[in-house]
PDB file of all heavy atoms in Angstrom:
ATOM      1  N   GLY A 306      -5.170   1.994 -16.851  1.00  0.00           N
ATOM      2  CA  GLY A 306      -4.134   1.253 -17.588  1.00  0.00           C
ATOM      3  C   GLY A 306      -4.509  -0.215 -17.756  1.00  0.00           C
ATOM      4  O   GLY A 306      -4.336  -0.799 -18.832  1.00  0.00           O
ATOM      5  N   ILE A 307      -5.056  -0.802 -16.705  1.00  0.00           N
ATOM      6  CA  ILE A 307      -5.457  -2.213 -16.765  1.00  0.00           C
ATOM      7  C   ILE A 307      -6.615  -2.373 -17.754  1.00  0.00           C
ATOM      8  O   ILE A 307      -6.631  -3.299 -18.579  1.00  0.00           O
ATOM      9  CB  ILE A 307      -5.848  -2.726 -15.354  1.00  0.00           C
ATOM     10  CG1 ILE A 307      -4.622  -2.723 -14.434  1.00  0.00           C
ATOM     11  CG2 ILE A 307      -6.467  -4.128 -15.431  1.00  0.00           C
ATOM     12  CD1 ILE A 307      -4.935  -2.860 -12.946  1.00  0.00           C
ATOM     13  N   ALA A 308      -7.577  -1.438 -17.697  1.00  0.00           N
ATOM     14  CA  ALA A 308      -8.714  -1.499 -18.623  1.00  0.00           C
ATOM     15  C   ALA A 308      -8.224  -1.366 -20.066  1.00  0.00           C
ATOM     16  O   ALA A 308      -8.691  -2.075 -20.967  1.00  0.00           O
ATOM     17  CB  ALA A 308      -9.710  -0.380 -18.291  1.00  0.00           C
ATOM     18  N   GLN A 309      -7.238  -0.485 -20.272  1.00  0.00           N
ATOM     19  CA  GLN A 309      -6.691  -0.308 -21.630  1.00  0.00           C
ATOM     20  C   GLN A 309      -6.073  -1.605 -22.145  1.00  0.00           C
ATOM     21  O   GLN A 309      -6.337  -2.055 -23.260  1.00  0.00           O
ATOM     22  CB  GLN A 309      -5.632   0.806 -21.627  1.00  0.00           C
ATOM     23  CG  GLN A 309      -4.986   0.992 -23.000  1.00  0.00           C
ATOM     24  CD  GLN A 309      -3.839   1.991 -22.975  1.00  0.00           C
ATOM     25  OE1 GLN A 309      -3.833   2.940 -22.192  1.00  0.00           O
ATOM     26  NE2 GLN A 309      -2.860   1.782 -23.845  1.00  0.00           N
ATOM     27  N   VAL A 310      -5.240  -2.207 -21.312  1.00  0.00           N
ATOM     28  CA  VAL A 310      -4.555  -3.436 -21.717  1.00  0.00           C
ATOM     29  C   VAL A 310      -5.582  -4.534 -22.024  1.00  0.00           C
ATOM     30  O   VAL A 310      -5.447  -5.277 -23.001  1.00  0.00           O
ATOM     31  CB  VAL A 310      -3.616  -3.891 -20.561  1.00  0.00           C
ATOM     32  CG1 VAL A 310      -3.076  -5.267 -20.812  1.00  0.00           C
ATOM     33  CG2 VAL A 310      -2.493  -2.898 -20.378  1.00  0.00           C
ATOM     34  N   ALA A 311      -6.638  -4.602 -21.205  1.00  0.00           N
ATOM     35  CA  ALA A 311      -7.637  -5.664 -21.374  1.00  0.00           C
ATOM     36  C   ALA A 311      -8.447  -5.464 -22.650  1.00  0.00           C
ATOM     37  O   ALA A 311      -8.681  -6.412 -23.403  1.00  0.00           O
ATOM     38  CB  ALA A 311      -8.548  -5.721 -20.143  1.00  0.00           C
ATOM     39  N   THR A 312      -8.839  -4.219 -22.921  1.00  0.00           N
ATOM     40  CA  THR A 312      -9.645  -4.010 -24.127  1.00  0.00           C
ATOM     41  C   THR A 312      -8.779  -4.181 -25.380  1.00  0.00           C
ATOM     42  O   THR A 312      -9.228  -4.732 -26.381  1.00  0.00           O
ATOM     43  CB  THR A 312     -10.398  -2.657 -24.081  1.00  0.00           C
ATOM     44  OG1 THR A 312     -11.320  -2.644 -25.159  1.00  0.00           O
ATOM     45  CG2 THR A 312      -9.519  -1.454 -24.213  1.00  0.00           C
ATOM     46  N   GLU A 313      -7.515  -3.773 -25.288  1.00  0.00           N
ATOM     47  CA  GLU A 313      -6.618  -3.983 -26.437  1.00  0.00           C
ATOM     48  C   GLU A 313      -6.426  -5.467 -26.719  1.00  0.00           C
ATOM     49  O   GLU A 313      -6.235  -5.865 -27.865  1.00  0.00           O
ATOM     50  CB  GLU A 313      -5.248  -3.353 -26.163  1.00  0.00           C
ATOM     51  CG  GLU A 313      -5.199  -1.860 -26.338  1.00  0.00           C
ATOM     52  CD  GLU A 313      -3.762  -1.350 -26.317  1.00  0.00           C
ATOM     53  OE1 GLU A 313      -3.122  -1.324 -27.384  1.00  0.00           O
ATOM     54  OE2 GLU A 313      -3.289  -0.998 -25.221  1.00  0.00           O
ATOM     55  N   ALA A 314      -6.482  -6.286 -25.682  1.00  0.00           N
ATOM     56  CA  ALA A 314      -6.276  -7.734 -25.854  1.00  0.00           C
ATOM     57  C   ALA A 314      -7.551  -8.446 -26.323  1.00  0.00           C
ATOM     58  O   ALA A 314      -7.542  -9.657 -26.511  1.00  0.00           O
ATOM     59  CB  ALA A 314      -5.784  -8.344 -24.543  1.00  0.00           C
ATOM     60  N   GLY A 315      -8.657  -7.700 -26.473  1.00  0.00           N
ATOM     61  CA  GLY A 315      -9.872  -8.305 -27.030  1.00  0.00           C
ATOM     62  C   GLY A 315     -10.933  -8.681 -26.013  1.00  0.00           C
ATOM     63  O   GLY A 315     -11.966  -9.238 -26.372  1.00  0.00           O
ATOM     64  N   PHE A 316     -10.692  -8.386 -24.743  1.00  0.00           N
ATOM     65  CA  PHE A 316     -11.722  -8.662 -23.725  1.00  0.00           C
ATOM     66  C   PHE A 316     -12.783  -7.559 -23.768  1.00  0.00           C
ATOM     67  O   PHE A 316     -12.480  -6.410 -24.123  1.00  0.00           O
ATOM     68  CB  PHE A 316     -11.105  -8.669 -22.322  1.00  0.00           C
ATOM     69  CG  PHE A 316     -10.158  -9.809 -22.070  1.00  0.00           C
ATOM     70  CD1 PHE A 316      -8.778  -9.635 -22.153  1.00  0.00           C
ATOM     71  CD2 PHE A 316     -10.649 -11.073 -21.748  1.00  0.00           C
ATOM     72  CE1 PHE A 316      -7.908 -10.693 -21.915  1.00  0.00           C
ATOM     73  CE2 PHE A 316      -9.776 -12.135 -21.508  1.00  0.00           C
ATOM     74  CZ  PHE A 316      -8.398 -11.939 -21.596  1.00  0.00           C
ATOM     75  N   ASP A 317     -14.022  -7.921 -23.391  1.00  0.00           N
ATOM     76  CA  ASP A 317     -15.013  -6.891 -23.103  1.00  0.00           C
ATOM     77  C   ASP A 317     -14.684  -6.359 -21.717  1.00  0.00           C
ATOM     78  O   ASP A 317     -14.422  -7.146 -20.799  1.00  0.00           O
ATOM     79  CB  ASP A 317     -16.428  -7.485 -23.099  1.00  0.00           C
ATOM     80  CG  ASP A 317     -16.847  -7.897 -24.490  1.00  0.00           C
ATOM     81  OD1 ASP A 317     -16.460  -7.193 -25.442  1.00  0.00           O
ATOM     82  OD2 ASP A 317     -17.524  -8.929 -24.627  1.00  0.00           O
ATOM     83  N   VAL A 318     -14.692  -5.049 -21.562  1.00  0.00           N
ATOM     84  CA  VAL A 318     -14.263  -4.456 -20.289  1.00  0.00           C
ATOM     85  C   VAL A 318     -15.345  -3.525 -19.753  1.00  0.00           C
ATOM     86  O   VAL A 318     -15.857  -2.671 -20.492  1.00  0.00           O
ATOM     87  CB  VAL A 318     -12.945  -3.649 -20.477  1.00  0.00           C
ATOM     88  CG1 VAL A 318     -12.510  -3.020 -19.163  1.00  0.00           C
ATOM     89  CG2 VAL A 318     -11.844  -4.555 -21.024  1.00  0.00           C
ATOM     90  N   VAL A 319     -15.680  -3.695 -18.487  1.00  0.00           N
ATOM     91  CA  VAL A 319     -16.588  -2.765 -17.809  1.00  0.00           C
ATOM     92  C   VAL A 319     -15.790  -2.105 -16.690  1.00  0.00           C
ATOM     93  O   VAL A 319     -15.307  -2.777 -15.773  1.00  0.00           O
ATOM     94  CB  VAL A 319     -17.784  -3.495 -17.151  1.00  0.00           C
ATOM     95  CG1 VAL A 319     -18.818  -2.469 -16.680  1.00  0.00           C
ATOM     96  CG2 VAL A 319     -18.403  -4.497 -18.075  1.00  0.00           C
ATOM     97  N   GLY A 320     -15.645  -0.792 -16.781  1.00  0.00           N
ATOM     98  CA  GLY A 320     -14.910  -0.069 -15.749  1.00  0.00           C
ATOM     99  C   GLY A 320     -15.894   0.601 -14.814  1.00  0.00           C
ATOM    100  O   GLY A 320     -16.904   1.154 -15.251  1.00  0.00           O
ATOM    101  N   ARG A 321     -15.629   0.554 -13.543  1.00  0.00           N
ATOM    102  CA  ARG A 321     -16.542   1.193 -12.591  1.00  0.00           C
ATOM    103  C   ARG A 321     -15.818   2.329 -11.877  1.00  0.00           C
ATOM    104  O   ARG A 321     -14.718   2.145 -11.337  1.00  0.00           O
ATOM    105  CB  ARG A 321     -17.034   0.144 -11.592  1.00  0.00           C
ATOM    106  CG  ARG A 321     -18.170   0.640 -10.734  1.00  0.00           C
ATOM    107  CD  ARG A 321     -17.654   1.225  -9.455  1.00  0.00           C
ATOM    108  NE  ARG A 321     -18.719   1.565  -8.549  1.00  0.00           N
ATOM    109  CZ  ARG A 321     -18.551   1.793  -7.270  1.00  0.00           C
ATOM    110  NH1 ARG A 321     -17.359   1.718  -6.734  1.00  0.00           N
ATOM    111  NH2 ARG A 321     -19.568   2.091  -6.509  1.00  0.00           N
ATOM    112  N   GLU A 322     -16.452   3.495 -11.925  1.00  0.00           N
ATOM    113  CA  GLU A 322     -15.943   4.649 -11.182  1.00  0.00           C
ATOM    114  C   GLU A 322     -17.086   5.200 -10.334  1.00  0.00           C
ATOM    115  O   GLU A 322     -18.250   4.875 -10.560  1.00  0.00           O
ATOM    116  CB  GLU A 322     -15.415   5.726 -12.138  1.00  0.00           C
ATOM    117  CG  GLU A 322     -13.892   5.856 -12.164  1.00  0.00           C
ATOM    118  CD  GLU A 322     -13.244   6.147 -10.808  1.00  0.00           C
ATOM    119  OE1 GLU A 322     -13.964   6.492  -9.860  1.00  0.00           O
ATOM    120  OE2 GLU A 322     -12.021   6.034 -10.699  1.00  0.00           O
ATOM    121  N   VAL A 323     -16.749   6.054  -9.366  1.00  0.00           N
ATOM    122  CA  VAL A 323     -17.801   6.536  -8.470  1.00  0.00           C
ATOM    123  C   VAL A 323     -18.674   7.613  -9.112  1.00  0.00           C
ATOM    124  O   VAL A 323     -19.830   7.779  -8.747  1.00  0.00           O
ATOM    125  CB  VAL A 323     -17.235   7.031  -7.123  1.00  0.00           C
ATOM    126  CG1 VAL A 323     -16.863   5.868  -6.244  1.00  0.00           C
ATOM    127  CG2 VAL A 323     -16.036   7.943  -7.315  1.00  0.00           C
ATOM    128  N   THR A 324     -18.125   8.369 -10.084  1.00  0.00           N
ATOM    129  CA  THR A 324     -18.968   9.334 -10.808  1.00  0.00           C
ATOM    130  C   THR A 324     -18.791   9.109 -12.312  1.00  0.00           C
ATOM    131  O   THR A 324     -17.759   8.593 -12.756  1.00  0.00           O
ATOM    132  CB  THR A 324     -18.568  10.806 -10.502  1.00  0.00           C
ATOM    133  OG1 THR A 324     -17.258  11.037 -11.044  1.00  0.00           O
ATOM    134  CG2 THR A 324     -18.574  11.107  -9.019  1.00  0.00           C
TER     135      THR A 324
END
Side-chain angles (χ1 to χ4, degrees):
I307 294 165
Q309 178 186 329
V310 170
T312 190
E313 282 191 87
F316 292 100
D317 291 325
V318 179
V319 190
R321 191 267 187 163
E322 252 303 347
V323 284
T324 67

